[in-house]
Amino acid sequence: MAEILKHAVPKAEVAASLDQVRETVTGVIADIRERGDAAVREYSEKFDKWSPDSFRLSAEEVEKIVASVPQQVIDDIRFVQEQVRTFARHQLDSMGEFEVETLPGVKLGQKHIPVQAAGAYIPGGRYPLTASAHMTIVTAKVAGVERVVACTPPIHGEIPAATVAAMHLAGADEIWLLGGVQAVAAMAVGTDTMEPVNLIAGPGNAYVAEAKRQLFGEIGIDLFAGPTEILVLADDRADPFVCAVDLLSQAEHGPDSPAVLITTSREVAERTIAEVERLLPGMPTRDYAEPAWRNHGQVHVVGSVDELYELADAFAFEHVEVLTVEPRLALERMTQYGALFLGEGTCVSFGDKVIGTNHVLPTRGAARYTGGLWVGKYLKTVTYQEVTDTASQTLLGRLCGRASRVELFEGHARSGDVRAARAAGDALPWNEA
């Protein structure tokens, strides 16, 4: 049995706050459907204090903004985007198209078609999350998406130049300085100035996540995502200082970001808690990290490595960092996670910022049924069929007639009958009149 040294707030409290978010988002989406650009402008003024003549940046504006970014930042953006691009290309190469002849003259095939237009939401608000531009836009372009609309909010009324540079260098076809529910709704339903997209990808706060959830079906989305999560798995060899630093690295994302430690060592658990408390007062992002740790941090002590992985899978967290003697054992033992970070030489922040795997990952238990954003999310895997052999047309036509009549689908049966009649001269009793 696990011993819990630190609890999170009850789930009921979290659910109550989500109810308010849901109600607000429903109203905003309905208003934008009805009033379009006028509503978008009002919400941008209300939430971001931002109301330019045009929310979309012109090519000249983009060029000027990119030119203002230090060269080192540009070089770093290009390097990281190449890592993301390389990994996405390997993913694309792993997805085969094929055509196979299953019977004489019966050809079945599979191909991948990119969605025509995708929306990329790059969060802003407090932090200029340039890395989200790499993850959403570069990956879409590798998949072959023709039109990528990228939205990011201003930060305290200012243009986030580095984010705009990242969006441009990633290949965005349209760059809009627009954030929040108003950005997601505009991309999804369209306005007089913005054509709608087919799919929206990218992380965001609770309101952005809820907007994507409500619009799913009308458009595609990458996945249902909530606050960033980190789960650190540690044995008795793990360094409590490293555990603490890495837990806080994700807690700073927001006051509702869960940070959890599971360890086989009570000493590691207690020392990690002490290190967190020591480090927190000096963190520049303490105003987010402290409530995240206080309300959503957890520490569990288990009796064995088996229990460690069993409990870890039950969490089904977004990020799982494995600080054990045999970190690659997690590849065999775990099945429910967004991404694994194996060994002390690897950290979740690498995945967030620089290493090349995608950082848009499932949260709130969604890892039980999906992985994260990847190149395949922007592709529609479709099939096609062709029957040219008369013997196969006869076989399948007769079989279709029998199988359809078992299900009382006479119309389907007749469609099969016609193929058998054309190929082999079968009678059509239902057509004698």
Side-chain angles (χ1 to χ4, degrees):
M1 288 290 292
E3 179 184 6
I4 304 177
L5 300 191
K6 185 182 184 312
H7 291 264
V9 297
K11 291 183 178 180
E13 293 184 26
V14 177
S17 66
L18 290 177
D19 287 340
Q20 188 274 324
V21 169
R22 190 172 296 117
E23 182 178 347
T24 299
V25 169
T26 299
V28 172
I29 292 175
D31 196 14
I32 291 173
R33 285 188 192 280
E34 182 177 348
R35 298 194 297 124
D37 285 326
V40 168
R41 184 169 295 279
E42 286 183 19
Y43 290 115
S44 183
E45 289 176 338
K46 177 180 180 180
F47 297 126
D48 291 326
K49 307 294 190 292
W50 184 253
S51 183
D53 291 338
S54 173
F55 291 104
R56 181 178 177 180
L57 295 178
S58 67
E60 293 76 16
E61 288 172 318
V62 170
E63 184 177 348
K64 183 178 179 180
I65 292 167
V66 174
S68 73
V69 178
Q71 188 59 47
Q72 184 64 64
V73 175
I74 295 294
D75 291 345
D76 289 345
I77 288 173
R78 290 186 186 278
F79 177 86
V80 175
Q81 288 186 349
E82 187 54 33
Q83 309 317 300
V84 175
R85 188 174 292 110
T86 297
F87 190 73
R89 283 173 175 161
H90 281 293
Q91 289 183 322
L92 185 62
D93 290 344
S94 74
M95 300 177 64
E97 294 189 340
F98 64 86
E99 182 175 281
V100 60
E101 190 170 18
T102 58
L103 293 167
V106 177
K107 296 176 181 177
L108 309 181
Q110 169 180 293
K111 63 182 298 184
H112 307 296
I113 302 175
V115 298
Q116 290 185 324
Y121 187 81
I122 293 84
R126 173 170 181 163
Y127 303 125
L129 294 183
T130 58
S132 289
H134 319 331
M135 306 301 173
T136 52
I137 302 168
V138 169
T139 308
K141 283 301 182 182
V142 171
V145 178
E146 183 176 344
R147 172 176 169 253
V148 176
V149 178
C151 289
T152 196
I155 299 180
H156 305 303
E158 300 291 331
I159 295 173
T163 304
V164 172
M167 296 158 86
H168 172 66
L169 295 173
D173 299 288
E174 300 174 22
I175 297 177
W176 297 68
L177 287 181
L178 187 63
V181 178
Q182 58 270 24
V184 175
M187 288 190 285
V189 307
T191 69
D192 288 340
T193 57
M194 183 189 291
E195 290 293 320
V197 300
N198 308 120
L199 179 147
I200 294 177
N205 62 20
Y207 292 91
V208 168
E210 176 60 20
K212 288 167 62 180
R213 189 191 69 81
Q214 291 192 21
L215 290 161
F216 176 60
E218 183 172 349
I219 55 156
I221 64 171
D222 47 359
L223 47 85
F224 296 114
T228 292
E229 304 165 340
I230 181 172
L231 175 61
V232 174
L233 307 182
D235 59 16
D236 59 354
R237 304 286 187 89
D239 185 337
F241 172 72
V242 173
C243 293
V245 168
D246 291 350
L247 288 166
L248 291 175
S249 75
Q250 298 300 299
E252 74 176 357
H253 270 279
D256 52 357
S257 293
V260 178
L261 170 69
I262 305 175
T263 177
T264 57
S265 167
R266 185 181 181 90
E267 180 183 359
V268 169
E270 292 174 343
R271 289 178 57 194
T272 297
I273 293 172
E275 288 286 357
V276 168
E277 299 301 329
R278 181 180 70 84
L279 292 167
L280 258 176
M283 282 192 72
T285 51
R286 173 184 174 182
D287 57 335
Y288 275 4
E290 188 171 49
W293 175 249
R294 180 180 64 246
N295 297 327
H296 303 282
Q298 299 181 49
V299 176
H300 298 252
V301 180
V302 296
S304 67
V305 171
D306 288 341
E307 289 182 46
L308 181 83
Y309 288 120
E310 183 179 356
L311 183 56
D313 252 3
F315 271 93
F317 257 25
E318 176 186 20
H319 305 107
V320 180
E321 189 170 289
V322 187
L323 304 180
T324 63
V325 173
E326 297 181 88
R328 292 184 69 87
L329 185 60
L331 290 169
E332 303 173 18
R333 303 295 296 277
M334 290 192 65
T335 60
Q336 300 191 146
Y337 55 85
L340 288 178
F341 301 83
L342 304 175
E344 189 177 291
T346 318
C347 61
V348 171
S349 296
F350 280 1
D352 279 349
K353 307 298 182 186
V354 298
I355 208 167
T357 49
N358 208 292
H359 78 193
V360 182
L361 298 165
T363 65
R364 290 181 176 157
R368 293 185 177 92
Y369 60 82
T370 186
L373 179 61
W374 70 298
V375 72
K377 183 62 70 171
Y378 295 98
L379 298 171
K380 300 174 291 183
T381 300
V382 298
T383 61
Y384 61 90
Q385 307 84 41
E386 182 181 27
V387 184
T388 58
D389 181 82
T390 55
S392 293
Q393 289 171 358
T394 302
L395 170 66
L396 294 174
R398 292 170 178 170
L399 177 60
C400 181
R402 295 194 302 272
S404 298
R405 289 186 173 98
V406 168
E407 297 177 347
L408 306 182
F409 273 77
E410 181 61 25
H412 284 65
R414 292 179 178 187
S415 189
D417 294 346
V418 168
R419 270 63 193 180
R422 295 291 174 88
D426 285 17
L428 298 177
W430 47 267
N431 193 43
E432 290 178 356

